[in-house]
DNA sequence: TAAACGTGGAC
DNA sequence: TGTCCAAGTTT
């Protein structure tokens, strides 16, 4: 049992809420999954695609995806290979598989409707704490703490006076976020998306535009003179030469081909034999690729 | 808990 | 040019 973490006080919560809500009303981007006519499915698809992927790259794929598969049932009726191909170059293609699996589960267990409860949502493949809370909040107007990288950074700065949040979500951080959440569900939902938008457009990691910030005069970090992050250094992720790069390249060859691809073609795409073989096997294992002949591969 | 998991734009 | 990193989840 741990002591209750200290929660920094915010003296004028209604004022803070008002500033963020007004700013969002004025400056929010007009994104398709935010429209009044956006379906819960549209929101759900956007949340899958936006996991670790910038909005600008999601936009066209999301539009095509919704045209092709307007409902969970439509996606569930397609092959996983079609989903992987439509996913294109968004990255982390296992998300396409998980979205397909989630759609299948929605048809099987929820009558084809995107579930409303956090518990039902987080039980679906590819949905963790953030995505479950985001769908419950944005698609269904429920009151949930939504902790994404933007919300975490904004709260760390405004309320905790830190440049960056901890490496992983802490109890103190969650308690602080909960203490800031507006009471009315509709306001809570707008607060969540407003904080995300603020983090994306103004309160960025590297060069925050404090002069455009609606809560500058309420920001603990700004008041403290924007002290640099003093926590443990973040590990830089390497990419060149990794299995991830190898897998990406191999999958791209098959994804961009018309039909099955000969093993020799894949061999030509990656020089290091043992790494290539390992990655090919893992792609098949993951269900991203299928071996369709003695020496040929295709999307599943 | 840490590491794996894609991709491409920005600086 | 190389590093950073963008609405995370899974194991």
């Amino acid at each position: 049992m741990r002591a209750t973490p200290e929660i920094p006080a915010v003296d004028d919560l209604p004022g803070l809420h008002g500033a963020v809500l007004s700013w969002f009303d004025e400056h929010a981007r007009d994104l398709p999954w935010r429209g009044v006519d956006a379906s819960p499915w549209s929101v759900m698809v956007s949340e899958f695609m936006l996991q670790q992927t910038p909005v600008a790259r999601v936009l066209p794929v999301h539009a095509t995806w919704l045209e092709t598969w307007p409902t969970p049932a439509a996606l569930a009726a397609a092959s996983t290979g079609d989903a992987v191909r439509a996913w294109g170059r968004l990255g982390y293609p296992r998300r396409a598989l998980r979205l397909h699996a989630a759609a299948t589960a929605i048809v099987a267990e929820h009558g084809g409707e995107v579930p409303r409860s956090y518990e039902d949502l987080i039980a679906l493949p590819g949905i963790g704490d953030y995505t479950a809370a985001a769908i419950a909040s944005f698609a269904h107007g429920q009151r949930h703490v939504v902790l994404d990288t933007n919300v975490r950074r904004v709260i760390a700065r405004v309320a905790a006076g830190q440049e960056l949040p901890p490496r992983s979500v802490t109890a103190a951080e969650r308690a602080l976020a909960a203490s800031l959440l507006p009471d009315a569900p509709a306001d809570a939902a707008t607060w969540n998306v407003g904080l995300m938008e603020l983090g994306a457009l103004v309160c960025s990691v590297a060069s925050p535009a404090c002069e455009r910030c609606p809560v500058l005069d309420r920001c603990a970090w700004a008041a403290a003179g924007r002290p640099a992050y003093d926590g443990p250094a973040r590990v830089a992720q390497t990419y060149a030469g990794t299995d991830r790069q190898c897998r990406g390249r191999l999958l791209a060859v098959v994804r961009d081909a018309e039909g099955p691809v000969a093993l020799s073609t894949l061999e030509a795409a990656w020089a290091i034999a043992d790494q290539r073989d390992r990655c090919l096997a893992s792609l098949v294992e993951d269900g991203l690729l299928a071996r369709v002949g003695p020496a040929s591969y295709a999307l599943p």
Side-chain angles (χ1 to χ4, degrees), chain A residues 237-248 270 275 278-279:
Chain A
Q237 61 166 356
T238 58
Y239 183 64
T242 60
D243 282 7
R244 273 154 83 176
Q245 184 185 31
C246 179
R247 284 166 53 102
W270 195 265
Q275 185 180 32
R278 177 175 69 244
C279 289

Side-chain angles (χ1 to χ4, degrees), chain A residues 52-54 57 92 167 233-242 244-245:
Chain A
Q52 299 287 283
T53 305
R57 290 174 47 208
Y92 293 144
R167 192 190 305 264
R234 284 137 142 76
V235 286
Q237 61 166 356
T238 58
Y239 183 64
T242 60
R244 273 154 83 176
Q245 184 185 31

Side-chain angles (χ1 to χ4, degrees), chain A residues 243 246-247 250 263-264 266-285 289 291 297:
Chain A
D243 282 7
C246 179
R247 284 166 53 102
L250 294 174
L263 177 58
S264 58
L266 293 171
E267 288 172 343
W270 195 265
I272 305 168
D274 59 340
Q275 185 180 32
R276 175 219 309 141
D277 293 347
R278 177 175 69 244
C279 289
L280 208 40
S282 75
L283 285 168
V284 173
E285 171 72 18
L289 234 42
R291 186 161 170 268
Y297 292 81

Side-chain angles (χ1 to χ4, degrees), chain A residues 10-70:
Chain A
V10 171
D11 41 21
D12 180 17
L13 211 43
L16 179 63
H17 292 159
V20 171
L21 268 39
S22 303
W23 176 85
F24 182 75
D25 186 54
E26 176 87 3
H27 298 281
R29 288 168 292 181
D30 185 19
L31 303 174
W33 45 85
R34 283 182 186 162
V36 289
D37 58 334
S39 65
W41 173 240
S42 175
V43 173
M44 177 171 161
V45 170
S46 78
E47 292 302 340
F48 270 74
M49 293 183 173
L50 288 164
Q51 291 168 359
Q52 299 287 283
T53 305
V55 168
R57 290 174 47 208
V58 165
L59 249 12
V61 184
H62 179 270
T64 302
W65 194 281
L66 265 292
E67 286 167 16
T68 309
W69 301 301

Side-chain angles (χ1 to χ4, degrees), chain A residues 182-208:
Chain A
D183 291 328
D187 286 347
T190 307
W191 166 257
N192 288 329
V193 70
L195 246 34
M196 290 172 65
E197 194 76 337
L198 192 55
L201 300 183
V202 175
C203 194
S204 61
V205 177
S207 53

